[in-house]
Amino acid sequence: MQSVPAQTTLPPRLDALARDEEGFLLDARVWTPELIPLLADESDLELTPEREEVIHWVRDYYERNYSVPEARVLLAHLREHWGPERATRRYLYRLFPRGYGQQACKIAGMRKPRKLMLDV
């Protein structure tokens, strides 16, 4: 009797995903946590525990509410968990220098937030 080789899981590949011209996923359902370091690297963003916490919170919010959280909703969450000194737009821009929507939401597998769509 022949043994069946163990199935190996290939690492995710960004080029295999349907994305828009800016790299946002077209289907948020294909996102997996394994994409975080790949998308962060593509955005030239070093992953820190704080950044990862925000990314995971954004994704969890999406999974619960089927919508991308507005920055003010994230800031309210951060105020409650990190305190008022780190729950500011300035601090959020320190974490995501190209913007919350452009980096955190993209890495969390969201479609491009509407506000960004209007700004284009």
Side-chain angles (χ1 to χ4, degrees), residues 19-25 39-40 42-45 55 68 92-93 95-113 115-117 119-120:
R19 301 193 299 160
D20 70 11
E21 65 281 349
E22 294 182 58
F24 285 87
L25 293 178
L39 292 166
E42 182 180 75
S43 294
D44 294 322
L45 191 69
I55 291 163
V68 179
L92 195 54
Y93 269 100
L95 292 176
F96 301 99
R98 291 192 202 132
Y100 161 70
Q102 195 64 39
Q103 288 183 303
C105 291
K106 181 191 256 183
I107 295 168
M110 306 291 96
R111 291 193 72 174
K112 189 175 189 177
K115 182 179 183 326
L116 288 178
M117 288 182 185
D119 290 344
V120 174

Side-chain angles (χ1 to χ4, degrees), residues 42-61:
E42 182 180 75
S43 294
D44 294 322
L45 191 69
E46 177 187 343
L47 284 176
T48 64
E50 284 179 323
R51 287 178 174 143
E52 284 196 69
E53 185 176 332
V54 169
I55 291 163
H56 283 287
W57 186 87
V58 168
R59 187 62 196 197
D60 291 342
Y61 182 95

